Amino acid sequence: MAYGEFAYFYDELNGEADYDALYTYLKGELDAHGVGDGIVVDLGCGTGDLTLMLTQAGYDMIGVDSSENMLTVLQEKASELGLSGKLLLLCQDILNLDLYGTVRAVISTFDTYNHIGPRENFEKAVEKAAFFMEKDGVFLFDLNTPYKHETVLADNEFTLETPDAVCRWQNHCCKEEGWVQIDIKIDYLDTGEVFEESFKEYTYELDYVKIVLERYGFRLEQVCDGESFGPLTDESQRYLFTAVKQYTQMEK
């Protein structure tokens, strides 16, 4: 899915995200697997805080997102930091990814892969990432867990407020079909304008994800809690995967 108007409030409404901790973990995983430089792709980069942190760390970053609005916000941030010429931004659907060459690592965070769709879409997205990955390349991505979908989001409604707008977030969980529908309504306080967006997040079980990764040439090395970065628990709300590509496409 591509965020529209919500892109301009994403940072304010995602303010509790600990980007420093996430960056530290991901950078540690990249370093541990010998990826200290080179081309790294951020799939579903959004407004790009993590993309910019990795750019500042010396990686040749490519930020990919299907939302032009998200990329516009990211470009503005990059310009303010003097990084505009140091990263490439691509407005692409990751199901139709084209990177024009191979990369050393792919990262994808904040449940981008939950938004992809039913299982056939998830598999296609993993296949696309695999196609552009060098041998021994690192794939770091997260997924919201079934626990989060069924217990935390469930059929609950959340209200998020900023000085400029009120965002109401209504969820509907369909456990039988493995998705949560999320309806967002944004009320602008100064103009009275109202914008609405709807999308679904899909649930994928751990065993299934491992099978898909292996099918497309990845070895799953570890799965941790994507918020604490420690061991998984029954109440973990986010999985964070580390997988390593076993061969290039030419070797297949």
PDB file of all heavy atoms in Angstrom, residues 33-45:
ATOM      1  N   HIS A  33      28.047  -9.560   9.791  1.00  0.00           N
ATOM      2  CA  HIS A  33      28.049 -10.362   8.574  1.00  0.00           C
ATOM      3  C   HIS A  33      28.919  -9.758   7.485  1.00  0.00           C
ATOM      4  O   HIS A  33      28.777 -10.081   6.295  1.00  0.00           O
ATOM      5  CB  HIS A  33      26.617 -10.546   8.079  1.00  0.00           C
ATOM      6  CG  HIS A  33      25.792 -11.412   8.975  1.00  0.00           C
ATOM      7  ND1 HIS A  33      25.098 -10.904  10.058  1.00  0.00           N
ATOM      8  CD2 HIS A  33      25.571 -12.755   8.981  1.00  0.00           C
ATOM      9  CE1 HIS A  33      24.477 -11.890  10.676  1.00  0.00           C
ATOM     10  NE2 HIS A  33      24.741 -13.022  10.052  1.00  0.00           N
ATOM     11  N   GLY A  34      29.820  -8.874   7.881  1.00  0.00           N
ATOM     12  CA  GLY A  34      30.812  -8.351   6.948  1.00  0.00           C
ATOM     13  C   GLY A  34      30.310  -7.288   5.993  1.00  0.00           C
ATOM     14  O   GLY A  34      30.960  -7.004   4.984  1.00  0.00           O
ATOM     15  N   VAL A  35      29.178  -6.676   6.311  1.00  0.00           N
ATOM     16  CA  VAL A  35      28.638  -5.631   5.436  1.00  0.00           C
ATOM     17  C   VAL A  35      28.882  -4.277   6.124  1.00  0.00           C
ATOM     18  O   VAL A  35      27.999  -3.718   6.770  1.00  0.00           O
ATOM     19  CB  VAL A  35      27.140  -5.847   5.147  1.00  0.00           C
ATOM     20  CG1 VAL A  35      26.629  -4.788   4.174  1.00  0.00           C
ATOM     21  CG2 VAL A  35      26.898  -7.238   4.589  1.00  0.00           C
ATOM     22  N   GLY A  36      30.097  -3.793   5.974  1.00  0.00           N
ATOM     23  CA  GLY A  36      30.467  -2.518   6.589  1.00  0.00           C
ATOM     24  C   GLY A  36      30.344  -1.347   5.654  1.00  0.00           C
ATOM     25  O   GLY A  36      30.449  -0.186   6.063  1.00  0.00           O
ATOM     26  N   ASP A  37      30.134  -1.631   4.368  1.00  0.00           N
ATOM     27  CA  ASP A  37      29.971  -0.575   3.366  1.00  0.00           C
ATOM     28  C   ASP A  37      29.226  -1.164   2.175  1.00  0.00           C
ATOM     29  O   ASP A  37      28.710  -2.281   2.241  1.00  0.00           O
ATOM     30  CB  ASP A  37      31.333  -0.010   2.951  1.00  0.00           C
ATOM     31  CG  ASP A  37      32.279  -1.097   2.432  1.00  0.00           C
ATOM     32  OD1 ASP A  37      31.819  -2.226   2.109  1.00  0.00           O
ATOM     33  OD2 ASP A  37      33.489  -0.833   2.339  1.00  0.00           O
ATOM     34  N   GLY A  38      29.168  -0.399   1.079  1.00  0.00           N
ATOM     35  CA  GLY A  38      28.511  -0.892  -0.124  1.00  0.00           C
ATOM     36  C   GLY A  38      27.058  -0.482  -0.200  1.00  0.00           C
ATOM     37  O   GLY A  38      26.560   0.329   0.577  1.00  0.00           O
ATOM     38  N   ILE A  39      26.345  -1.088  -1.159  1.00  0.00           N
ATOM     39  CA  ILE A  39      24.967  -0.717  -1.438  1.00  0.00           C
ATOM     40  C   ILE A  39      24.012  -1.462  -0.523  1.00  0.00           C
ATOM     41  O   ILE A  39      24.027  -2.690  -0.455  1.00  0.00           O
ATOM     42  CB  ILE A  39      24.606  -1.002  -2.913  1.00  0.00           C
ATOM     43  CG1 ILE A  39      25.529  -0.232  -3.861  1.00  0.00           C
ATOM     44  CG2 ILE A  39      23.150  -0.619  -3.187  1.00  0.00           C
ATOM     45  CD1 ILE A  39      25.315  -0.563  -5.322  1.00  0.00           C
ATOM     46  N   VAL A  40      23.183  -0.713   0.167  1.00  0.00           N
ATOM     47  CA  VAL A  40      22.155  -1.263   1.043  1.00  0.00           C
ATOM     48  C   VAL A  40      20.821  -0.639   0.635  1.00  0.00           C
ATOM     49  O   VAL A  40      20.732   0.568   0.409  1.00  0.00           O
ATOM     50  CB  VAL A  40      22.445  -0.966   2.525  1.00  0.00           C
ATOM     51  CG1 VAL A  40      21.295  -1.429   3.418  1.00  0.00           C
ATOM     52  CG2 VAL A  40      23.755  -1.641   2.952  1.00  0.00           C
ATOM     53  N   VAL A  41      19.792  -1.465   0.550  1.00  0.00           N
ATOM     54  CA  VAL A  41      18.474  -1.001   0.142  1.00  0.00           C
ATOM     55  C   VAL A  41      17.531  -1.017   1.332  1.00  0.00           C
ATOM     56  O   VAL A  41      17.489  -1.988   2.088  1.00  0.00           O
ATOM     57  CB  VAL A  41      17.893  -1.899  -0.973  1.00  0.00           C
ATOM     58  CG1 VAL A  41      16.523  -1.386  -1.412  1.00  0.00           C
ATOM     59  CG2 VAL A  41      18.835  -1.957  -2.157  1.00  0.00           C
ATOM     60  N   ASP A  42      16.766   0.057   1.481  1.00  0.00           N
ATOM     61  CA  ASP A  42      15.725   0.136   2.506  1.00  0.00           C
ATOM     62  C   ASP A  42      14.379   0.061   1.793  1.00  0.00           C
ATOM     63  O   ASP A  42      13.952   1.026   1.144  1.00  0.00           O
ATOM     64  CB  ASP A  42      15.858   1.446   3.281  1.00  0.00           C
ATOM     65  CG  ASP A  42      14.924   1.510   4.488  1.00  0.00           C
ATOM     66  OD1 ASP A  42      14.083   0.598   4.642  1.00  0.00           O
ATOM     67  OD2 ASP A  42      15.044   2.475   5.277  1.00  0.00           O
ATOM     68  N   LEU A  43      13.726  -1.092   1.892  1.00  0.00           N
ATOM     69  CA  LEU A  43      12.446  -1.305   1.223  1.00  0.00           C
ATOM     70  C   LEU A  43      11.304  -0.819   2.115  1.00  0.00           C
ATOM     71  O   LEU A  43      11.208  -1.210   3.269  1.00  0.00           O
ATOM     72  CB  LEU A  43      12.248  -2.788   0.905  1.00  0.00           C
ATOM     73  CG  LEU A  43      13.232  -3.416  -0.084  1.00  0.00           C
ATOM     74  CD1 LEU A  43      12.892  -4.884  -0.313  1.00  0.00           C
ATOM     75  CD2 LEU A  43      13.231  -2.666  -1.412  1.00  0.00           C
ATOM     76  N   GLY A  44      10.440   0.006   1.544  1.00  0.00           N
ATOM     77  CA  GLY A  44       9.398   0.630   2.350  1.00  0.00           C
ATOM     78  C   GLY A  44      10.018   1.645   3.287  1.00  0.00           C
ATOM     79  O   GLY A  44       9.696   1.697   4.473  1.00  0.00           O
ATOM     80  N   CYS A  45      10.909   2.465   2.751  1.00  0.00           N
ATOM     81  CA  CYS A  45      11.719   3.365   3.588  1.00  0.00           C
ATOM     82  C   CYS A  45      10.903   4.449   4.264  1.00  0.00           C
ATOM     83  O   CYS A  45      11.345   5.043   5.251  1.00  0.00           O
ATOM     84  CB  CYS A  45      12.828   3.995   2.759  1.00  0.00           C
ATOM     85  SG  CYS A  45      12.240   5.014   1.383  1.00  0.00           S
TER      86      CYS A  45
END
